[in-house]
Amino acid sequence: MTHSSTDTHRRADAIGEPPARPTRVPAERYISPAFARLEVERMWPRVWQAACTVDHVAEAGDYFEYRCGPYSVLIVRGDDGELRAFQNACRHRGNALCTGAGSSLRELKCGYHGWTWDLAGALKRIPNRKGFGSVHMSEFPLAPVRVDTWERLVFVNLDPGAMPLADYLEAVPGDIAWCGLGDFRCYATMTIDVDANWKTIADGYSETYHVQTLHPELHQCMDDVYAPQKIWGHTGKSESLYGVPSPRLAGSLSDEEVWDAYVYTQGALMGVAEGTPFPRDRQALGETVADVIATQIKEFAAGRGVDIGWASTDQVMCLHQYNIFPNLTLLASADHLTVMTSLPGPDPDRGQLVMTLMTRMPPQAPRVRPTDVRMGADEAHPGVVMSQDIAVLTGLQRGMHQPGFTHLVLSAEERRIINMHRNLERYLDLPGPERICQAEAGG
């Protein structure tokens, strides 16, 4: 599949058709305990959520515990190779059967009183069984949770009647099929505790409007203007071309300056250290700085035994950013894949950002078990741009508590945030007066 050319990027901008008025979203949705409870009751148990990767549960006996608010789901690879998920609660008194991630499970045994299930969720042993009177093992299987995969991502849904994952993902799998996401492997996850609502976190990865202000270095090597967006329903996307200066800076930056900005913000993607000068001698006649960067990225991949020689400069340099309701953002290009999810914390002012870090590997590469780490926002330094995104979150959340701040005021450039709220309203079944609308003139 041939990716759209740079000319396509020049025709479609991030705003699209401007609305008559901005969209107003009540700030209460980000700070209200009552609203957070409504999300826990009506939304989180009914949506597909990316829980882990196939790399976490690749072999029989591998397990992974996924937590979202009060919910805990245990994902297990069975002896028969099947992937299953269960509510993580012993049927006796509710104790969690497993925490974290691990391997070599042969059974699921409660550490409190010893009730034991096989990896398919069937109850096998009740100590001192006669004390319960007449009880049949078949009465108390583990409560199943729907589980499915898309490429290397494992999704779960607590609603047995939910639509299939393939339908939920809409156009996303077909749209990114050219990239071959199945060739990527997860090498680590980073869970970052943040003093912000899960939506505050997710919103930051749902628009490029902030790039010109928050990411001045990125602004020098990314087109944030001609960044077309699409909305499909549960999902949406934007495309941003890298290796070019923002059109807002058109004509004012040299190739060396664009190169330096790219190396500073994303040099790790091409194996180039900060301060490395622009390789002018490698720039053929008619080649852009983006062509030079793309060639370097391809050579860096080849050094890992990965062939992306099939990819055009656009396929290497265009970042496809997908949003999947409610809390998933997927960033993909020919040699880059990062998956980010945001999760609710113990109150509306706290949440977690989970970064799932992946790299394209040769087809026969041996399994690498992902390293899962957790840290506070002050300890996390996941690169220049991501660190800037994280640093702004606490101030955003605090601002929403101010008595004069009643609504977020959103533009068409922030339409993926607006779409998230429209989906949220549908799941929460909010009455008409509580739904978002365009601002009245003068309002």
Side-chain angles (χ1 to χ4, degrees):
M1 176 177 174
T2 302
H3 183 261
S4 51
S5 69
T6 304
D7 290 340
T8 301
H9 293 276
R10 298 296 173 196
R11 288 196 297 269
D13 68 15
I15 295 174
E17 186 66 32
R21 296 283 296 160
T23 297
R24 289 161 52 91
V25 175
E28 182 184 50
R29 296 186 180 187
Y30 291 76
I31 61 176
S32 162
F35 195 87
R37 284 194 298 272
L38 207 57
E39 291 174 338
V40 165
E41 293 167 7
R42 298 184 182 179
M43 188 272 288
W44 290 114
R46 296 172 55 205
V47 293
W48 284 98
Q49 301 167 57
C52 64
T53 70
V54 171
D55 302 287
H56 286 93
V57 285
E59 300 170 6
D62 288 348
Y63 67 92
F64 186 93
E65 180 205 15
Y66 172 68
R67 292 187 191 178
C68 176
Y71 302 112
S72 174
V73 175
L74 185 59
I75 302 161
V76 180
R77 179 72 68 178
D79 301 322
D80 55 0
E82 285 293 310
L83 198 60
R84 296 180 178 88
F86 307 101
Q87 294 179 28
N88 189 14
C90 173
R91 294 295 305 275
H92 171 219
R93 297 259 295 277
N95 185 44
L97 297 172
C98 294
T99 58
S103 59
S104 304
L105 272 185
R106 296 184 178 276
E107 59 187 15
L108 295 166
K109 180 179 179 180
C110 177
Y112 197 7
H113 297 93
W115 285 39
T116 304
W117 290 261
D118 65 21
L119 299 187
L123 182 59
K124 293 301 181 184
R125 189 167 75 92
I126 300 176
N128 303 337
R129 182 176 170 185
K130 69 178 183 179
F132 292 91
S134 177
V135 59
H136 300 285
M137 295 296 194
S138 59
E139 292 180 79
F140 300 103
L142 294 179
V145 172
R146 292 187 64 180
V147 62
D148 203 347
T149 61
W150 170 49
E151 298 292 2
R152 306 294 293 182
L153 297 179
V154 177
F155 288 77
V156 295
N157 194 320
L158 286 158
D159 180 6
M163 70 174 72
L165 176 63
D167 294 340
Y168 192 90
L169 295 175
E170 298 168 330
V172 172
D175 197 79
I176 197 61
W178 64 271
C179 190
L181 297 185
D183 293 338
F184 287 83
R185 299 289 183 269
C186 175
Y187 62 89
T189 68
M190 181 184 294
T191 299
I192 303 169
D193 292 306
V194 181
D195 289 335
N197 187 269
W198 71 270
K199 295 183 290 298
T200 307
I201 300 168
D203 289 354
Y205 308 108
S206 303
E207 47 90 1
T208 54
Y209 182 38
H210 69 276
V211 170
Q212 58 187 312
T213 305
L214 188 63
H215 306 310
E217 303 89 355
L218 192 61
H219 202 227
Q220 296 176 34
C221 62
M222 169 190 163
D223 185 345
D224 61 323
V225 174
Y226 299 102
Q229 301 189 73
K230 293 180 181 176
I231 299 293
W232 289 299
H234 280 113
T235 60
K237 74 169 286 191
S238 72
E239 298 177 6
S240 300
L241 194 63
Y242 283 67
V244 298
S246 168
R248 305 178 208 275
L249 305 173
S252 63
L253 294 183
S254 65
D255 284 353
E256 285 80 4
E257 288 171 311
V258 174
W259 167 271
D260 289 345
Y262 190 89
V263 170
Y264 180 65
T265 57
Q266 290 154 100
L269 298 182
M270 57 176 180
V272 172
E274 186 181 340
T276 302
F278 177 55
R280 176 70 68 181
D281 59 325
R282 299 186 62 188
Q283 188 176 27
L285 185 65
E287 278 195 335
T288 65
V289 62
D291 292 322
V292 176
I293 294 172
T295 298
Q296 174 62 36
I297 290 174
K298 290 179 184 181
E299 292 178 0
F300 182 50
R304 309 193 313 268
V306 172
D307 177 17
I308 55 168
W310 50 266
S312 67
T313 292
D314 256 21
Q315 287 172 317
V316 176
M317 300 306 296
C318 181
L319 188 68
H320 298 249
Q321 182 166 320
Y322 294 91
N323 296 94
I324 299 172
F325 181 80
N327 64 337
L328 184 149
T329 296
L330 184 147
L331 306 172
S333 62
D335 197 40
H336 176 71
L337 178 61
T338 299
V339 179
M340 296 183 293
T341 53
S342 57
L343 295 170
D347 59 62
D349 290 318
R350 288 185 285 176
Q352 292 91 40
L353 168 63
V354 182
M355 297 179 61
T356 300
L357 308 175
M358 309 188 79
T359 188
R360 195 184 287 277
M361 297 288 288
Q364 303 307 317
R367 177 192 183 185
V368 176
R369 290 188 182 276
T371 301
D372 301 311
V373 297
R374 183 166 184 164
M375 65 194 68
D378 292 341
E379 306 168 272
H381 304 288
V384 174
V385 175
M386 288 293 297
S387 294
Q388 291 168 339
D389 285 324
I390 293 168
V392 79
L393 293 173
T394 301
L396 273 168
Q397 188 68 25
R398 187 185 304 118
M400 293 190 202
H401 281 275
Q402 305 315 306
F405 186 81
T406 59
H407 291 79
L408 289 72
V409 181
L410 303 180
S411 73
E413 211 164 341
E414 298 160 298
R415 76 186 75 160
R416 285 175 289 148
I417 298 176
I418 295 170
N419 187 57
M420 183 275 288
H421 278 280
R422 296 203 186 284
N423 277 296
L424 186 58
E425 291 173 344
R426 187 163 52 85
Y427 277 88
L428 300 189
D429 195 24
L430 294 184
E434 294 181 24
R435 302 205 170 201
I436 59 176
C437 60
Q438 284 189 354
E440 298 294 333

